[in-house]
Amino acid sequence: MEAFMGYDVIVVGARVAGAATALLLARSGLKVLVVDRAPAGSDTISSHQVQVPGIARLARWGLLDALVRAGTPATREVRFDGDGTVLRGSFPAYDGVDALYSPRRTVLDALLVDAARAAGAEVIDGFRVEELTAEGGRVTGVRGRARGGTALLTYSARLVVGADGKHSTVADAVGAARYRQRPALAFASYSYWSGVPVTVGEMYQRPGRAVAVFPTNGDLTMVYVAAPLPSFAGARADLEGHYLATLDRCGDLGERVRAGTRVERLRTTPDQPNGFRAAHGPGWALVGDAGAVMDSVTAQGITNALVDAELLAHSIVDGLTRGRLDAALARRQRERDRGLRAMYDLTVSLARFAPPSLGQRQLLAAIADRPAEVSRFLGMFAGMESPARYFGAPNALRILGARGVGRLARRLATARLCTES
Ligand SMILES: Cc1cc2nc3c(=O)[nH]c(=O)nc-3n(C[C@H](O)[C@H](O)[C@H](O)COP(=O)(O)OP(=O)(O)OC[C@H]3O[C@@H](n4cnc5c(N)ncnc54)[C@H](O)[C@@H]3O)c2cc1C
């Protein structure tokens, strides 16, 4: 690698995507600066199931033990109540990990930042990037201000990585092209409860609603509700009433939650865009939500960010070492898109709250009493198998058998005839 005065890489944003990228780059021996306008250790609007592949990344990076020591409980089993079919089962193992964890962002993000710093990355919190510097059409650094400061400070690097979330300043500054954009479709509310013990993770699908219940740090239980965006205006006057009324539609969940104590305010956001952005250009790259964002209903964003950080860090190290950075970043964008596409489509369709198809309902009913199949279904939901492949014809045929598929085809034909007549 040629010598460069300044940093090899500046990362804007020090949460899951940015801190993980900085950590991996610093461990590879690069000179890294990571900045964030938020104070270190601060919370953010996000619930926090980290799917098994995300946890496998943390384990690989040597951080899972620290997460567990911070009092983050493991969730190995999930009860999925699909309003008609109930599945209960365990996650399949992935790279030696068989549990989902739901660490508070104050815990997870701080852990990653501390690890990045320990690996040699320089971390500045309370620093807002206002613009990028460029020379000959190539981004060369960032310019911004420290919290409370008036001086405009400039830092230079061979590459600037935007890990600055769904409203990325870096993406806007470089005009990163958007594609596969879908409007926001759902809003989400969540809070933390004591006295609501859970032995397994709980997920509920009801017409126009999705609910998730997972244990988190401090012996608390995080309870999350999603609903269609068009109902937000009506729900706004009484968001807590809307939230509790949804829980009342989920068996005894409403009762159990009301018997506990809400220990933090209810957080609600309608700010849930969906879409991809070009992930690289001359002197810049995007990672995490800045480059690809999807609704929280499938709880994939953190895992996506960790997986994406690993992909990006490998491509940067490889590209700088071989002197072919732009080609390495282009390969990584293709890989990112291939990896995310099917889960993105599933997420968008769930965020639309379209009722499950007859085929999907039959598939779920057929696996309910088959533990290995439930496990595979949960693995698909956790991002271990492509939803396109899971719901594809060969797998349906395998699960339902030729007679089951025949019955399904006849019912679909009858339904079509009924709607046509
Ligand atoms: C309600 C809700 C629930 C969710 N639940 C889950 C879940 O259960 N599981 C899951 O996996 N995902 C969930 N997500 C998604 C998840 O929160 C995101 O995918 C994830 O936070 C993306 O991480 P990131 O590091 O890319 O960006 P962010 O977490 O958004 O971090 C970006 C950082 O960049 C900083 N920044 C921005 N602009 C600048 C600037 N100009 N200068 C300096 N710093 C800047 C910000 O301060 C911020 O700290 C949820 C999201 C929402 C909204």
Side-chain angles (χ1 to χ4, degrees), residues 12-19 35-38 42 44-51 102 105 109 127-130 163-170 188-190 222 224 267 269 271-272 287-290 292-296 298-305:
V12 184
R15 292 196 183 275
V16 278
V35 300
D36 200 302
R37 65 186 178 198
S42 58
T44 184
I45 294 228
S46 170
S47 57
H48 29 71
Q49 288 108 268
V50 185
Q51 307 294 344
S102 186
R105 294 296 296 267
D109 296 4
F127 183 88
R128 177 188 297 271
V129 169
E130 295 180 6
D164 47 347
K166 56 194 167 196
H167 302 298
S168 168
T169 303
V170 174
S189 297
Y190 67 98
M222 189 286 306
Y224 162 102
R267 286 154 220 224
T269 181
D271 182 18
Q272 302 205 94
V287 67
D289 273 10
V293 63
M294 59 184 78
D295 193 279
S296 64
T298 48
Q300 299 294 319
I302 297 169
T303 300
N304 290 344

Side-chain angles (χ1 to χ4, degrees), residues 273-322:
N274 302 285
F276 289 68
R277 280 195 269 215
H280 72 102
W284 61 271
L286 302 176
V287 67
D289 273 10
V293 63
M294 59 184 78
D295 193 279
S296 64
V297 71
T298 48
Q300 299 294 319
I302 297 169
T303 300
N304 290 344
L306 297 175
V307 171
D308 197 22
E310 192 174 64
L311 265 181
L312 177 63
H314 281 157
S315 70
I316 292 172
V317 172
D318 183 49
L320 286 177
T321 309
R322 293 168 194 263

Side-chain angles (χ1 to χ4, degrees), residues 147-381:
R147 193 181 316 115
T150 50
L152 208 48
L153 303 172
T154 302
Y155 296 101
S156 304
R158 294 200 276 187
L159 184 75
V160 172
V161 171
D164 47 347
K166 56 194 167 196
H167 302 298
S168 168
T169 303
V170 174
D172 286 347
V174 297
R178 295 173 185 266
Y179 52 101
R180 284 196 206 108
Q181 301 290 310
R182 301 288 176 274
L185 296 160
F187 73 98
S189 297
Y190 67 98
S191 192
Y192 299 93
W193 298 80
S194 67
V196 184
V198 282
T199 49
V200 298
E202 298 175 24
M203 295 195 277
Y204 301 84
Q205 283 187 338
R206 295 290 180 267
R209 298 286 186 280
V211 173
V213 183
F214 283 88
T216 186
N217 305 85
D219 288 326
L220 297 177
T221 299
M222 189 286 306
V223 182
Y224 162 102
V225 167
L229 194 57
S231 58
F232 182 59
R236 219 170 172 170
D238 180 14
L239 287 169
E240 176 140 20
H242 177 273
Y243 172 85
L244 290 171
T246 299
L247 304 185
D248 287 334
R249 290 162 64 178
C250 303
D252 65 356
L253 179 62
E255 232 169 90
R256 285 190 286 137
V257 167
R258 286 168 201 276
T261 306
R262 181 164 60 74
V263 298
E264 293 188 23
R265 69 189 167 87
L266 183 69
R267 286 154 220 224
T268 300
T269 181
D271 182 18
Q272 302 205 94
N274 302 285
F276 289 68
R277 280 195 269 215
H280 72 102
W284 61 271
L286 302 176
V287 67
D289 273 10
V293 63
M294 59 184 78
D295 193 279
S296 64
V297 71
T298 48
Q300 299 294 319
I302 297 169
T303 300
N304 290 344
L306 297 175
V307 171
D308 197 22
E310 192 174 64
L311 265 181
L312 177 63
H314 281 157
S315 70
I316 292 172
V317 172
D318 183 49
L320 286 177
T321 309
R322 293 168 194 263
R324 297 190 46 131
L325 182 58
D326 293 347
L329 292 175
R331 266 198 310 280
R332 169 261 174 178
Q333 176 172 334
R334 287 194 293 276
E335 218 173 311
R336 177 198 72 172
D337 289 6
R338 250 198 322 272
L340 289 183
R341 176 69 193 267
M343 183 56 84
Y344 178 77
D345 291 344
L346 176 66
T347 301
V348 167
S349 99
L350 290 175
R352 281 202 176 100
F353 294 96
S357 67
L358 184 60
Q360 286 168 345
R361 277 186 279 133
Q362 293 231 332
L363 211 67
L364 292 192
I367 65 171
D369 56 359
R370 295 155 72 180
E373 292 297 339
V374 173
S375 182
R376 183 166 169 187
F377 172 78
L378 293 176
M380 178 277 297
F381 231 86

